[in-house]
Amino acid sequence: MNSKIALILTPSEIPFADPAFFHFSPLPLSLGVLQAYLRAEGHAVNSTDLNTRMQRFARQSAFKMWLPLFDKDLILRNLEDGSPTGMEEVLDYFIGESEAASSEIVGISTGANMSFFEIHLAFLLGRRIQEQMGKPVVFGGANLDFLWQFREVFTELWEVIMRKLPYIFIGPGERSMAELLAGLSQREGARPYQQLPGAVYLRDGKLTRNLEDLPSLVRPDFQGLNLKPYTLCCKAAEPAESAEANLVHYYQWPVYLNPVVSELNRRRLAEEERKETLFIPYVFNNHCTYRCAFCVQSREDRPGVVTKKAREVVDDIEALLTEYHTEHIRFYNNAFNLSVSFVKEFCHLVWERGLKFYWSDCARFNNLTPELIDLLYRSGCRKLVFGLDTASEKIAQLIDKRLDLEQAHRVLRWCRERGIWTEVEVIVGLPHEGEAEFQETYDFVRENLEQGNLNGFHVNRYYIVPSSLLGSKPEQYGIRLHCPPEGYEKMLRRSAEILMALTAPRGETINNPPYSYQLWRYSEVNGRAVEQLTEETEEKFRRMRGLVTPNFRF
């Protein structure tokens, strides 16, 4: 017996940081993948991305409206016994925008931004659907992995979740949800919930999580969504200068400017000069072959790399280009070039079929050559993002980065020479990164920006991931971990302060906190204390950000 399912993606607070996102949302890849998998299993699925409903709140005094989301006791009471939160009108609006009322089961994604705006809102929505409609609610989303990683901090939340919200999956949930549906329908041979990959439950009173599943990597299905909020306004392809301008605006420029460019195009261009275009998200590989010590991918129980064959990928792309009438694909892979043979076969298949499209993705420096970069360009690649992280050989060796800096320099130059725009990811504040080590990273970025080899970079403050090698074996890296008390409350307080700053009236002076609260911190054995490391990291972040010299001429 197949089910009628309503999928709901919880909204994020991102539009308050950048109002352009009240008018544009990236297509939700996770929703498209889950919907595709369940439909292939024969289920009737209707999906709602609540990010596309946030425009309703663009002109309102948002801070007070969302304040209950940052009140821990209020949230816990609501989840426990349905006590009012003052957000009932907002919750009912969101639920009414979904297909929950006409469905047999509801799946809710808690989001992916380590955000309690998303997490608490998702749980409030699920609790209200249970309370008013009596329907099973299944929760997923990357934010649940964040809650699990720091479960000792969020013990009170997990306790009430386990009592009141029985279906929680961490990691890829397509197969697990399909099998859960089979179990709820009492289909013969279906495993119980407690045996499903990624399931979270109590075993003898102890919070337990099964190993996560491997992703299905199915081609996403966005049919049924109103696609208008996901389009970006491009210039019509003729003349050729307009086509080149589109590539500059949507590939060379940072992705956060995409909705800004789109709105300017809508205002400035005549109707016949505009073309509304979808940029389709797609992923064909997952997990990493390396074990950088700071990364969650270094954990002991990490799944192996999973990837699709080149022919399957090109089949999917051809179908997506045709179905959604676009020539833009945004890959979200761990690295496009995990395999040289894959890259060559992919590029040749694209040419054989005469496919014309443009794309971007993440990549590694290691195996790229001028010949391979030429193949990538000719297959439509216009932007690659590399995980540099550090340009210090000392720090790279400590975290097992396996990075050849001379190769990195060469690859960035080769990309520039062939016409592929590049960005790098940088981390400041890694353990044992002193001034000399930071300066090496700073100089690498500065020099490549000045030479035109880099078009941009992303700088991140290091934070401890409990399941990473640095988080699980700190003594091997000469650090001590510190978990301050009341981390849950402090994180909510900081989140509320940030939202207050983002929603303050123009002209009003608000002391915007520099960054979200970090649940775990570290000190160095026989070295720097937590406070010194925090202060130095902020200074490094400020200096690195000083290298950003935007030159966006519209």
Side-chain angles (χ1 to χ4, degrees):
M1 178 180 176
N2 294 325
S3 304
K4 189 173 182 181
I5 306 162
L7 299 180
I8 300 173
L9 176 59
T10 306
S12 114
E13 66 270 46
I14 287 175
F16 299 120
D18 187 345
F21 284 92
F22 280 119
H23 308 283
F24 165 78
S25 292
L27 265 171
L29 178 59
S30 59
L31 204 62
V33 167
L34 181 56
Q35 178 167 268
Y37 191 91
L38 294 176
R39 283 178 174 171
E41 292 287 307
H43 300 288
V45 185
N46 289 288
S47 297
T48 305
D49 176 4
L50 292 179
N51 288 292
T52 65
R53 308 308 200 270
M54 285 295 285
Q55 190 173 358
R56 174 187 175 101
F57 307 104
R59 298 180 182 274
Q60 300 187 27
S61 177
F63 173 67
K64 290 183 179 180
M65 175 185 298
W66 307 107
L67 191 59
L69 294 176
F70 308 108
D71 185 329
K72 184 194 76 171
D73 293 334
L74 189 70
I75 296 297
L76 296 180
R77 284 197 303 271
N78 175 271
L79 298 181
E80 185 67 56
D81 58 22
S83 296
T85 62
M87 292 193 66
E88 286 68 29
E89 184 177 343
V90 174
L91 297 175
D92 289 342
Y93 165 72
F94 282 141
I95 293 170
E97 288 294 297
S98 76
E99 297 293 329
S102 59
S103 298
E104 300 164 280
I105 188 168
V106 178
I108 298 180
S109 171
T110 58
N113 296 301
M114 295 189 293
S115 156
F116 273 99
F117 184 100
E118 297 172 341
I119 294 168
H120 282 168
L121 184 51
F123 288 141
L124 292 183
L125 287 167
R127 185 70 172 85
R128 193 155 180 85
I129 289 170
Q130 278 188 346
E131 182 182 64
Q132 293 193 333
M133 302 178 186
K135 299 181 179 183
V137 180
V138 183
F139 292 90
N143 277 332
L144 293 177
D145 186 65
F146 162 69
L147 288 184
W148 175 263
Q149 294 266 350
F150 294 97
R151 56 194 176 278
E152 290 84 3
V153 177
F154 303 119
T155 299
E156 295 167 280
L157 181 58
W158 275 113
E159 287 175 351
V160 71
I161 288 171
M162 289 293 97
R163 285 194 296 270
K164 299 298 180 178
L165 304 171
Y167 303 121
I168 305 284
F169 290 112
I170 296 178
E174 307 96 89
R175 298 184 186 89
S176 292
M177 186 164 182
E179 196 162 356
L180 174 65
L181 294 172
L184 293 175
S185 300
Q186 299 182 332
R187 189 174 300 171
E188 186 177 353
R191 289 180 292 177
Y193 166 74
Q194 288 80 2
Q195 294 181 16
L196 299 180
V200 182
Y201 53 95
L202 292 178
R203 176 188 290 168
D204 299 328
K206 181 180 179 182
L207 190 65
T208 303
R209 167 191 176 180
N210 293 342
L211 289 178
E212 68 183 58
D213 199 5
L214 293 174
S216 64
L217 301 180
V218 299
R219 182 175 75 238
D221 178 0
F222 303 109
Q223 293 300 328
L225 291 171
N226 173 14
L227 297 177
K228 186 177 179 180
Y230 305 108
T231 62
L232 291 168
C233 184
C234 297
K235 295 182 178 181
E238 300 296 338
E241 291 81 5
S242 295
E244 183 61 29
N246 289 331
L247 295 178
V248 170
H249 294 159
Y250 291 116
Y251 290 89
Q252 181 182 10
W253 290 9
V255 69
Y256 66 81
L257 287 178
N258 285 180
V260 177
V261 171
S262 181
E263 284 302 299
L264 287 173
N265 280 337
R266 290 190 181 111
R267 294 175 189 175
R268 295 183 179 186
L269 299 176
E271 185 174 353
E272 64 273 13
E273 297 176 311
R274 303 195 302 258
K275 181 181 179 182
E276 296 292 336
T277 304
L278 288 168
F279 285 64
I280 302 295
Y282 177 77
V283 62
F284 61 80
N285 71 44
N286 197 270
H287 302 306
C288 186
T289 56
Y290 296 88
R291 298 188 69 193
C292 300
F294 65 86
C295 180
V296 67
Q297 295 285 328
S298 68
R299 71 181 197 264
E300 297 290 346
D301 65 345
R302 66 174 184 159
V305 174
V306 57
T307 184
K308 298 182 81 166
K309 296 178 180 178
R311 188 170 296 276
E312 294 173 329
V313 173
V314 177
D315 287 344
D316 284 350
I317 290 170
E318 188 170 11
L320 291 169
L321 297 177
T322 301
E323 187 171 5
Y324 298 103
H325 309 288
T326 185
E327 56 180 17
H328 298 280
I329 299 287
R330 283 203 168 132
F331 294 119
Y332 288 93
N333 296 300
N334 188 280
F336 187 91
N337 58 319
L338 285 180
S339 160
V340 171
S341 61
F342 172 91
V343 172
K344 291 180 177 180
E345 185 179 359
F346 171 89
C347 294
H348 287 294
L349 286 169
V350 168
W351 304 333
E352 282 179 12
R353 300 188 190 185
L355 300 180
K356 182 181 179 182
F357 67 101
Y358 302 102
W359 58 270
S360 60
D361 202 357
C362 296
R364 290 190 62 90
F365 294 113
N366 303 49
N367 58 12
L368 289 178
T369 63
E371 294 74 23
L372 214 58
I373 289 170
D374 178 64
L375 293 181
L376 294 176
Y377 180 87
R378 290 164 58 198
S379 74
C381 177
R382 291 298 180 270
K383 186 175 191 175
L384 292 174
V385 180
F386 296 91
L388 174 70
D389 303 324
T390 179
S392 162
E393 291 190 5
K394 169 188 167 182
I395 302 302
Q397 184 174 5
L398 174 73
I399 63 175
D400 196 19
K401 179 63 185 175
R402 304 188 189 184
L403 177 67
D404 183 336
L405 288 172
E406 289 303 315
Q407 168 73 353
H409 275 289
R410 289 192 296 267
V411 167
L412 293 176
R413 186 182 76 249
W414 294 334
C415 286
R416 173 181 59 80
E417 292 171 350
R418 191 60 187 93
I420 295 177
W421 293 301
T422 59
E423 295 177 354
V424 294
E425 296 274 359
V426 172
I427 301 173
V428 296
L430 283 161
H432 308 292
E433 178 192 68
E435 176 59 29
E437 292 76 28
F438 167 75
Q439 193 65 44
E440 289 177 291
T441 302
Y442 180 94
D443 289 342
F444 180 98
V445 173
R446 178 182 54 79
E447 290 169 9
N448 280 284
L449 285 171
E450 291 174 351
Q451 294 165 8
N453 297 333
L454 265 181
N455 299 98
F457 66 97
H458 308 271
V459 57
N460 308 282
R461 304 172 180 88
Y462 172 66
Y463 68 94
I464 295 285
V465 178
S467 65
S468 69
L469 287 174
L470 275 166
S472 61
K473 300 180 178 180
E475 66 284 350
Q476 293 187 11
Y477 298 91
I479 63 173
R480 294 190 183 94
L481 303 184
H482 302 264
C483 184
E486 299 182 337
Y488 191 0
E489 293 86 342
K490 290 176 180 176
M491 187 170 188
L492 291 176
R493 199 154 49 239
R494 178 59 60 85
S495 299
E497 291 170 357
I498 293 173
L499 187 63
M500 180 171 65
L502 295 175
T503 57
R506 291 186 178 182
E508 183 173 321
T509 300
I510 295 289
N511 181 22
N512 192 359
Y515 57 94
S516 59
Y517 182 76
Q518 294 190 15
L519 292 166
W520 284 13
R521 298 178 185 272
Y522 75 91
S523 61
E524 295 170 346
V525 177
N526 301 320
R528 294 168 293 182
V530 171
E531 295 75 18
Q532 182 180 353
L533 286 163
T534 301
E535 183 178 335
E536 290 182 5
T537 297
E538 273 307 291
E539 175 62 15
K540 293 171 184 174
F541 184 84
R542 183 193 65 79
R543 288 164 59 190
M544 188 65 74
R545 286 290 299 271
L547 289 174
V548 178
T549 53
N551 183 24
F552 308 127
R553 295 182 180 178
F554 193 80

